[in-house]
Amino acid sequence: EGQEMTGEVVIDLKEDVVIEVLSVEFSGLAFITWNPDQPRADQARQPQKTAEEKYLNQTLVLYKRGGTDGQGDPSNMMVHAGKHSYPFSIQLPYTLPSTFTGDFGNVRYQAKAVLERPWHPKISTIKEFSVRSVVDLNSLPQAAKPVICEKVKESGIIPCCCFRTGRITATWRLDRMGYVPGEKLRINGEITNESRFRVKKSKATLLQHIRYYDGGGNALHERK
């Protein structure tokens, strides 16, 4: 987000042709599909509703017949055989959300090159690109706070003896609460076993919570 994206459209012609317009259409769209009246487990078997939201809609003209954009030659309407490269650049808005793919929706960005010729159908090709929205952790004071989570479990009572066998305490720590993509997340764990049983293993699970909303106020929760 906010960066300048550059690229080029390459046309390989076997013979001289007349090109009316060569353009690139940039689009960014959030799209969701589900039935808010049905449970999550029944979504695939029910008629689906859709909703969408646009984030990017911009077109750049790379070549125009007659030279109005400074690249066409008004004295020669033919584009000669061979390879022709048409570079472009676009400034991405600072408000774009990150590219995302989920079970019930996605956020996708693409560049679509369109070639228009007289009395011929349009020729187009699409290239998807990714956007990463970077969060400034300095603007979130809570992100610098450490995280401590402790869980205590009594290991139980032996029926024949009627006494407790002890407790197991697990403590997990993160040096801070906020991270950005690409950073290493180090989890420090400590287990105190005061019971008569062996601790077989410990593990940490990262969960992603996603909520989809449509224009009618309906919401769907997804967890991965």
Side-chain angles (χ1 to χ4, degrees):
E1 57 170 9
Q3 286 188 324
E4 181 184 18
M5 185 177 67
T6 61
E8 62 179 2
V9 177
V10 178
I11 300 178
D12 191 359
L13 301 176
K14 295 183 179 180
E15 58 185 21
D16 297 352
V17 299
V18 176
I19 297 178
E20 288 284 359
V21 178
L22 174 64
S23 60
V24 182
E25 302 170 358
F26 301 92
S27 62
L29 185 70
F31 182 83
I32 59 174
T33 172
W34 91 86
N35 191 332
D37 300 325
Q38 295 295 331
R40 186 179 188 273
D42 298 333
Q43 290 292 317
R45 298 190 297 269
Q46 299 295 331
Q48 301 295 294
K49 299 179 181 179
T50 62
E52 63 181 36
E53 184 176 21
K54 289 185 178 181
Y55 303 117
L56 180 64
N57 185 18
Q58 186 174 344
T59 301
L60 296 180
V61 176
L62 307 184
Y63 176 93
K64 190 172 183 179
R65 183 181 179 186
T68 56
D69 64 344
Q71 294 196 40
D73 185 356
S75 63
N76 186 0
M77 298 300 181
M78 303 293 293
V79 178
H80 299 295
K83 280 192 175 182
H84 302 268
S85 176
Y86 299 89
F88 64 83
S89 65
I90 178 177
Q91 184 78 30
L92 296 177
Y94 285 91
T95 55
L96 296 181
S98 296
T99 300
F100 169 79
T101 300
D103 291 343
F104 301 99
N106 55 66
V107 178
R108 291 181 178 175
Y109 298 90
Q110 67 178 29
K112 179 180 180 181
V114 181
L115 176 67
E116 300 179 41
R117 298 177 295 166
W119 310 293
H120 287 79
K122 295 181 180 179
I123 299 175
S124 63
T125 182
I126 295 176
K127 178 72 173 180
E128 291 193 356
F129 60 92
S130 297
V131 172
R132 189 174 72 178
S133 178
V134 180
V135 177
D136 183 9
L137 295 182
N138 296 323
S139 63
L140 303 173
Q142 191 177 9
K145 294 182 179 180
V147 180
I148 301 178
C149 178
E150 186 175 85
K151 182 76 173 180
V152 180
K153 180 176 178 61
E154 299 289 345
S155 58
I157 299 176
I158 298 179
C160 62
C161 303
C162 296
F163 65 85
R164 293 185 178 276
T165 60
R167 66 173 56 183
I168 301 172
T169 304
T171 305
W172 303 96
R173 297 182 178 88
L174 292 175
D175 59 351
R176 52 195 166 94
M177 190 178 295
Y179 296 83
V180 297
E183 284 191 300
K184 290 184 178 180
L185 191 151
R186 186 181 299 276
I187 303 174
N188 297 301
E190 178 182 323
I191 296 178
T192 303
N193 187 1
E194 299 174 341
S195 73
R196 300 187 179 186
F197 301 102
R198 291 184 58 188
V199 176
K200 186 176 181 180
K201 64 179 180 179
S202 63
K203 67 177 181 179
T205 303
L206 299 180
L207 297 178
Q208 180 186 43
H209 292 269
I210 308 162
R211 286 193 180 275
Y212 302 91
Y213 299 90
D214 65 5
N218 300 298
L220 177 68
H221 179 219
E222 178 185 358
R223 188 179 74 168
K224 293 185 177 182

